[in-house]
Amino acid sequence: VFELLSKLRKLALHIARALKESHVRCVTFEDKSQRQHTALQRIRNELVDEAARRSSLEEEIIEGAKRERQLASQIAELQEQLAVAGEKAATCEKQCAASATDL
């Protein structure tokens, strides 16, 4: 009976050690899992921030392109006005030259 109790005691100690080791591994795994989860959340947040920055830059590019088209239109209009003014100046010069020869 004592021998059987001794064997049961040893078996109980062995089971207790195994449970303790299993618990330590489980806690270690949970810690590692939590760290990985935290890292994934950080990466996800960084991706969301990057997407927001990209969207903002895309909006700026679109606005810049609109402004560029407006400025190109204004430049074309001013060039047309300049050409008309140049024609008027040339006509005036001819008239002045003609008037000068008439005098």
Side-chain angles (χ1 to χ4, degrees), residues 29-54:
F29 176 77
E30 286 176 356
D31 288 346
K32 184 178 179 181
S33 177
Q34 183 62 38
R35 284 192 307 269
Q36 288 175 341
H37 179 72
T38 302
L40 286 173
Q41 281 182 320
R42 188 182 75 252
I43 290 168
R44 190 176 310 128
N45 290 341
E46 289 173 3
L47 288 172
V48 168
D49 291 345
E50 185 61 31
R53 280 191 294 273
R54 174 184 265 173

Side-chain angles (χ1 to χ4, degrees), residues 48-93:
V48 168
D49 291 345
E50 185 61 31
R53 280 191 294 273
R54 174 184 265 173
S55 177
S56 177
L57 288 174
E58 287 171 351
E59 288 175 14
E60 288 180 31
I61 289 169
I62 291 168
E63 289 301 316
K66 287 179 184 177
R67 182 70 180 137
E68 185 178 355
R69 284 191 299 274
Q70 289 173 344
L71 290 173
S73 175
Q74 290 174 349
I75 288 170
E77 188 178 315
L78 289 171
Q79 286 174 333
E80 188 177 311
Q81 290 174 4
L82 182 61
V84 169
E87 290 172 8
K88 287 181 181 179
T91 302
C92 286
E93 286 177 8

